[in-house]
Structures are given as structure tokens and as C-alpha cells.
């Protein structure tokens, strides 16, 4: 399996619920190394640009309102098969369908409709684009050990 990088966003509900540490522990437990990280409060324009692919979906306005409601934690994860591994760790998009033990099952099930705690890139092309959206190359580190 190849070493990949993927983008994680710990979303406003999870940041507000003080789940950053819990979620970061799960990255370490699953051999996902943090190579870049920053807290950011997205504005409407940034959130609309990031989620442009969903702009015609009925939930778009609600999604943007949610994503700008509080700061988020953006993190680049690196590891073997990182994209698929992190998606398994997150669980299904809608927390009520997420597998027990996943981040969304454990940390988002009691939230509101689209408040699902975390985002993760869905493929290598989107991972590259999403990482570039938040980080310059010099802000991402090659950790040697
Ligand atoms: P995410 O993985 O960040 O990708 C798009 C987001 O839109 C998703 O997580 C949810 O927060 C939200 N979303 C997706 N589908 C729905 C839906 N059917 N209803 C409400 N929100 C949704």
C-alpha cells in the first residue's frame, strides 16, 4: 500500500464539544501522522468555495451556515492508505448510519442533521486539492521519525 496524504477537518460541533484531543488520539492509534495543522474560522466565501461541488444540493445553505458557525481544525494526515483508512475511521456521512466505534458514531450521533464532526477527502485528486486549499507546501512537514 502507498503512503498517502489526506485532509481532515474537525468541524465546528466537534471543536465546540472539545473533541479535538479525542480525534487526534484516534489518528495516532491508527498510524495516521499529523504533518500540518491549523485552527481556522472559515468565512462564507471560503466555505462556499471548499464545498462548491455541493452547491446545487438542498442541504448546501445549511452546510455553509454550519461550517462558518465556529472555528474548525484543519489537519493533513499522512500514512499507508491514509485516504481510505481515515474514511473508515470517520464512518458514514450521516452519523445515524455510521458504524459503532467510528468517529461519527461516537462523537456526532446526538448532533443536528448535517453536524457530522469531521470531513475527510474522498480520493487522491480531491485530497491534493483540499490540502492545497488550506496549506502552502512549506507548511506541510516531512517528519523523519
Ligand atoms: P462532508 O463529508 O464534509 O461532505 C459534505 C457535507 O455535507 C457532509 O459531510 C455533511 O456535513 C453534509 N451533508 C451531506 N449530505 C447531507 C444531507 N443529506 N443532509 C444534510 N447535510 C448533508
Amino acid at each position: 500500500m502507498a503512503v498517502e496524504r489526506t485532509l481532515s477537518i474537525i468541524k465546528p460541533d466537534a471543536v465546540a464539544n472539545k473533541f479535538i484531543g479525542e480525534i487526534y488520539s484516534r489518528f495516532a492509534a491508527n498510524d495516521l501522522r499529523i504533518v500540518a495543522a491549523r485552527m481556522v474560522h472559515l468565512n462564507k466565501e471560503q466555505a462556499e468555495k471548499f464545498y462548491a461541488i455541493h452547491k446545487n444540493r438542498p442541504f448546501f445553505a445549511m452546510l455553509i451556515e454550519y461550517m462558518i458557525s465556529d472555528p474548525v481544525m484543519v489537519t493533513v494526515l499522512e500514512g499507508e492508505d491514509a485516504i481510505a483508512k481515515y474514511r473508515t475511521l470517520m464512518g458514514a456521512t450521516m452519523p445515524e448510519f455510521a458504524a459503532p466505534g467510528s468517529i461519527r458514531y461516537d462523537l456526532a450521533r446526538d448532533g443536528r442533521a448535517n453536524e457530522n464532526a469531521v470531513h475527510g477527502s474522498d480520493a487522491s485528486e480531491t485530497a491534493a486539492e483540499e490540502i492545497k486549499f488550506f496549506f502552502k507546501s512549506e507548511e506541510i512537514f516531512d517528519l523523519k521519525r
Side-chain angles (χ1 to χ4, degrees), residues 26-83:
R26 293 179 187 216
F27 296 162
N30 287 276
D31 282 331
L32 290 169
R33 183 201 289 265
I34 293 167
V35 292
R38 186 166 70 246
M39 187 176 273
V40 47
H41 197 156
L42 294 171
N43 62 34
K44 190 162 182 278
E45 192 187 2
Q46 290 169 314
E48 286 178 348
K49 193 170 171 205
F50 184 82
Y51 278 119
I53 193 169
H54 296 303
K55 69 173 181 296
N56 296 321
R57 305 290 289 274
F59 57 81
F60 186 66
M62 205 168 67
L63 171 62
I64 299 308
E65 191 185 325
Y66 161 46
M67 290 303 294
I68 67 176
S69 63
D70 264 316
V72 298
M73 192 77 195
V74 289
T75 304
V76 179
L77 299 173
E78 182 183 84
E80 295 272 338
D81 204 20
I83 296 168

Side-chain angles (χ1 to χ4, degrees), residues 11 51 54 59 62-63 66 93-94 104 114 116 119:
K11 297 186 178 184
Y51 278 119
H54 296 303
F59 57 81
M62 205 168 67
L63 171 62
Y66 161 46
T93 301
M94 306 314 274
R104 286 168 171 157
N114 62 349
N116 59 354
H119 167 83

